[in-house]
Amino acid sequence: EAQVTQNPRYLITVTGKKLTVTCSQNMNHEYMSWYRQDPGLGLRQIYYSMNVEVTDKGDVPEGYKVSRKEKRNFPLILESPSPNQTSLYFCASSQEPLQPQHFGDGTRLSIL
Amino acid sequence: GNSVTQMEGPVTLSEEAFLTINCTYTATGYPSLFWYVQYPGEGLQLLLKATKADDKGSNKGFEATYRKETTSFHLEKGSVQVSDSAVYFCALLSGGSNYKLTFGKGTLLTVNP
């Protein structure tokens, strides 16, 4: 089954404790992206990756890092999480940048 | 920059009512337009798309027409069901915007039996 898998689905943690949210897709897609969803703001892009070893900032990259060492994986790293990063996060992928994106089921992060 | 404006919710309808959710956009170039749906506790799913002016996207009884003259992509369904209750997002994708999807803020639809 074609899918984008995120882990964990839920996480409660404390300020300053580094965390990583994993994202993996099994569709051999070139393009991957991370979004955060906040009430009243819709979804905003954090980072995106056009291909392996090619990543770039989206609209709200501050406080986040990403890497793309393999085509299937695109982890989101919060080096020193803060409460304003409490949000619902989605990973997405597509075969090409201009094709519709497939979304994971989301990761709800709470930073206390 | 690119932007999407969709009608504020929540929208509450009775089963079999007609649905319209308005969406207008601002973009450079010729964007592709999408409607995504998010059911409770799930990720976003592509509902329909249109890639050029006057294209009509349709799926599961929903329709939307790409209107370049009014920069709009309104979502319609003739007869909603309880199972259509979800959050609906209008979005655009333009090659001139780092290939990112620009989303509207979402519209919560609740359909009552």
Side-chain angles (χ1 to χ4, degrees):
Chain A
E1 180 188 352
Q3 59 187 6
V4 177
T5 303
Q6 298 177 223
N7 281 295
R9 292 291 312 278
Y10 305 91
L11 179 64
I12 301 174
T13 188
V14 296
T15 299
K17 186 176 181 181
K18 180 180 178 180
L19 67 91
T20 299
V21 184
T22 63
C23 174
S24 180
Q25 49 92 6
N26 63 0
M27 296 167 280
N28 202 38
H29 283 170
E30 302 280 338
Y31 181 87
M32 297 186 75
S33 183
W34 276 103
Y35 298 86
R36 60 178 288 174
Q37 182 180 13
D38 300 291
L41 296 177
L43 280 85
R44 296 175 292 169
Q45 189 185 55
I46 303 170
Y47 269 94
Y48 67 96
S49 170
M50 300 285 280
N51 208 330
V52 176
E53 302 294 356
V54 180
T55 65
D56 207 347
K57 298 176 181 178
D59 292 326
V60 288
E62 295 78 19
Y64 304 95
K65 287 175 56 177
V66 293
S67 68
R68 189 91 183 274
K69 294 185 172 61
E70 309 164 278
K71 183 183 273 193
R72 65 182 292 126
N73 296 323
F74 190 45
L76 179 70
I77 303 157
L78 285 71
E79 293 270 4
S80 182
S82 62
N84 64 11
Q85 294 177 296
T86 292
S87 187
L88 179 58
Y89 292 85
F90 289 100
C91 180
S93 73
S94 61
Q95 180 53 42
E96 299 171 6
L98 293 178
Q99 293 297 314
Q101 294 178 21
H102 298 255
F103 283 78
D105 285 338
T107 295
R108 187 168 292 281
L109 289 183
S110 294
I111 316 294
L112 304 179
Chain B
N2 296 340
S3 67
V4 174
T5 302
Q6 62 181 103
M7 64 186 286
E8 300 260 340
V11 174
T12 303
L13 297 173
S14 298
E15 208 164 22
E16 299 184 4
F18 184 86
L19 168 71
T20 300
I21 301 177
N22 290 336
C23 171
T24 57
Y25 67 90
T26 303
T28 54
Y30 301 94
S32 295
L33 301 174
F34 306 89
W35 278 99
Y36 280 85
V37 59
Q38 184 180 29
Y39 298 103
E42 298 183 14
L44 279 73
Q45 301 174 27
L46 178 67
L47 181 60
L48 53 84
K49 68 174 183 177
T51 57
K52 60 183 188 296
D54 299 325
D55 266 3
K56 177 187 281 189
S58 61
N59 186 25
K60 299 180 181 180
F62 291 89
E63 294 183 340
T65 301
Y66 189 144
R67 301 284 187 202
K68 196 169 188 299
E69 64 276 13
T70 55
T71 62
S72 65
F73 192 54
H74 305 320
L75 182 68
E76 297 182 336
K77 186 173 185 182
S79 176
V80 294
Q81 306 299 312
V82 172
S83 58
D84 294 327
S85 298
V87 180
Y88 292 82
F89 291 93
C90 185
L92 70 83
L93 183 59
S94 171
S97 60
N98 297 328
Y99 302 106
K100 72 174 171 69
L101 274 169
T102 299
F103 285 91
K105 294 181 180 180
T107 302
L108 173 63
L109 170 66
T110 301
V111 181
N112 295 318

